[in-house]
Amino acid sequence: MDVEVRLFATLRRGRFDRRPQPVADGCRLEELIRQLAIDPKEIAIRLVNGREAEIDHVLQPGDVVSLFPAVGGG
Amino acid sequence: MHGYRGQVLRVNLTTGQIKKETLDLQTAQKFIGGRGLGSYLLSKEIQPTVDALSPENKIFIVTGPLTGSPAPTPGRYMVVTKSPLTGTIACSNSGGFWGPELKNAGYDLIVLEGRAPKPMYLFIKDETVELRDATKYWGKLVSETTTQLLADVREPQARVLCIGPAGEKQSLIAAVMNDKCRAAGRSGVGGVMGSKNLKAIVVRGTGKVALAAPEKTKELLAILARKIKDNGVTGQGLPTYGTAVLVNIINEAGMYPTRNFQQSYFPTANKASGEALADEYLTKRVACFRCPIACGRECEVGEEKGEGPEYETLWAYSANCGVDKLDDVIRANNLCNEYGLDTISAGATIACAMELAEKGYIKPSEVNGPALKFGSSEAIIEWTRKMGAGEGLGAKLAQGSYRLAASYGVPELSMSVKKQELPAYDPRGAKGMALQYATSNRGGCHVRGYLISPEVLGLPEKIDRFATAGKATWAKAFQDLTAVIDSLGLCLFTSFALNADDYRDLLNAIVGVNWTKEEMFTAGERIWNLERVFNLAAGIKPEEDTLPKRLLHDPITEGGSKGHVAQLAEMLPAYYQERGWTPQGIPTKEKLAALAL
Ligand code: SF4
C-alpha cells in the first residue's frame, strides 16, 4: 500500500518535501520513519491525517503522514 | 540601583513641561517593571473610562529591569495605554534596539501626557531632553522619518521610535514602530501616540545597566546560553526559518485560519511558508539587541528590502486573505511597516472586508480600488496602502474589522475578541487557546498565554489539544508567567528554552532581590488581576470573555481538526475558579488583598 509522506523544515534537507511512499500492510509509523532513514530523535511532531499519532500507530492506505522537527514561533 | 536606572521621564505635551522623577523602587519591584509597572501606573493615573484618543489618556513607555542588561534577549520595551480599539488596557511590546538605548540614557520609563498643539518629537541624549517641532516629518513614512531624524539630530548611533501616517490619522490599528521595522503592534497604540501629536522619540544613551551580582550573572548567562543553543526551537528552528516555520505545522494540524476563518486548512500554504521564505527571499538573519536566536528575516523582493514577514503577518495576508503569492505578502508587510500598521489587524481586517464583499454587504460601488476578493494580491497591497493613508473605504478599514462589520450590521463576521482581531491559530483545534483568546486582557491575542506551545508544539510537554479538562490551569500558569517575562523586558521566545527557575535566577542576580519562584508567579498573577480590574472599571463586561459565533458553533469542515468547535462554556467556569474570581468573572476582594492590590 501507499501512504503520502510530507516533511518540513530541516527534515527536508537532503530529502524531499512530499512524496507517495510504498509501505507493507500493517506498517507502523516507527517502521516508516526507519524506512525513510530519519533519526527518530530529529522528529518532534508526528501527524497522521492532521492528528497527533504515537510511533506504534498502524498506517492505513492513503494516510497522510506529516513529520516535523522541533519548531516554535508565534 | 541595579537592573533599573532609577529615573522616570514625565512629559506633558500640552504644556511642554518635562520633569525627571525618581523611580519608586518598591513599587517597581512589586510590579517588576515593563508591562506590570506600566499597568500599575496607568491604573493609578487615568480614569479607566476616559476616551482613549483624548488628551486625558496617557502613554507609558516602559522598559523592564532586564532591558539593556546582559540577560539573553533584553531588547524589550512596552507601550502601555488605554486602547482605542478594544477599550481595554493595552500593552504592546517590541524588540530591536530602542528600549536598551532608553535604559542607557538613564530612564526606566517615559510618561506622555496631554496633547501637543502641533506635531512634536522628543529628543533624549542622556540628561538632555527636549521637545522639538516635528512638522517636517508629519506625513512621512516610517523609514524616511527614521533616516531624516537620525541625520537631523546628528547622532548616528541614536535610535528612533515613531509612528507612520496611520498613527497620525489615529487609526485604531496603528502601531508604534522602532528601528524602522520593529513594531509595538497591537491594540492601536500608534493611534494614541498620533492623538497626542507626537511623531517620534529619538534616544541616545551612553550609560549602562548595573548588575547586583555580576559574577553570579556571568555564571548564569553561560548556562542559559547553552540551553538556548541546545534547544531545537531556539537553537535551530527559529534561527533557520524564523517564526514562519509555523505555517506548515499549524496548517497540517488543520487550524490555519483561511478566508476569514471560513476554513482552517489552506491547500497551498507551503508556497507561502517559512521554508519558502528561507529558500527564495531571505537575504540575512536579523537579531534584536543581544539576542542569540536571531529569528528576524531580512527579505528582498524586486527592488524592495524589508524585515519580516513574521508568522502572524504571513498568515494574515496569505491564508486569511486566500493569497499564496509570497512576494505580494512580503510587499503588504513592508507597507504595514512603512505606514505603521499592526500587520495582524490590517491583514485580518482586509480578510473581513473580503467576506463582507463576498456576502454582498460591501457593494462594488463603495469599493474605490481593487475588488475585495479572496485570493487577490492586488487587493491586499492596495488596501493596505489605502488603510495606511486613510483613503476612502480604506479609512473605514483602518478602524479595524469589528467596526467595519458592525457598520453593515454583521459584527459577527469580525473574527475578533473584544474588538481586536484574532491571530493565526484557529482555536477550534486547540481548546486551551480558545480559553486564552477569550480571557486575554487585551482582547484577541496569542502572546498573553501561548498555549499553542504545549497543545501543538509539545513544549514544555505535549498535552491533548482537543481536551478541555485541565486547560484552565494551563491558561492561568501561562498567562501569569508571560506577564512576568514581559515585565522583565525579555523576549517571550526565550520561554521555549528557559523555565520559570531561569527567569527567577536572572531577576535575582541582576536586580538583587531574593525571590522564590512562587513569589515571581504571584507577581505575574498580580499583574494579570490589575489588568482585569482596569478592564472592568473601563466598562468591559465579563460577557465579553467570548469568541466569534463562528468559532463557537460551526465545526471545522475538513483537515486535522475536523468536527471541532471551541468549547468555551466548558472551560470558562473552571478558569474563573482557578483565578479565585467569582463565578461571574470578577476578582474577589480577598483575591485582590492576597495579591496586595
Ligand atoms: S528571538 Fe527574535 S524577536 Fe526575540 S529577541 Fe531574538 S530576534 Fe528579537
Side-chain angles (χ1 to χ4, degrees), chain B residues 31-156:
Chain B
F31 297 97
I32 302 176
R35 173 175 158 192
L37 181 59
S39 301
Y40 169 74
L41 293 171
L42 185 80
S43 303
K44 197 175 102 177
E45 294 192 20
I46 74 159
Q47 281 294 335
T49 47
V50 296
D51 173 355
L53 296 174
S54 71
E56 285 70 45
N57 194 8
K58 295 187 187 185
I59 302 176
F60 295 82
I61 302 186
V62 202
T63 62
L66 268 46
T67 303
S69 78
T73 75
R76 299 269 145 183
Y77 73 90
M78 280 129 271
V79 183
V80 180
T81 186
K82 179 174 174 176
S83 163
L85 180 70
T86 61
T88 66
I89 196 163
C91 172
S92 295
N93 172 320
S94 180
F97 295 82
W98 190 90
E101 200 69 29
L102 182 71
K103 282 289 283 282
N104 288 347
Y107 307 96
D108 295 299
L109 67 134
I110 304 175
V111 189
L112 301 165
E113 306 174 341
R115 169 182 288 159
K118 61 174 186 184
M120 304 292 272
Y121 76 94
L122 188 65
F123 173 80
I124 305 170
K125 185 179 182 194
D126 296 324
E127 283 302 304
T128 306
V129 184
E130 292 168 7
L131 264 176
R132 297 178 177 173
D133 186 2
T135 313
K136 73 181 251 209
Y137 311 103
W138 205 249
K140 297 257 187 298
L141 299 177
V142 167
S143 63
E144 197 184 346
T145 303
T146 306
T147 311
Q148 274 200 12
L149 271 168
L150 285 176
D152 293 350
V153 301
R154 298 203 179 127
E155 285 288 349

Side-chain angles (χ1 to χ4, degrees), chain B residues 5 24 350 407-408 513:
Chain B
R5 294 304 310 276
D24 174 359
I350 294 176
S407 76
Y408 295 97
V513 287

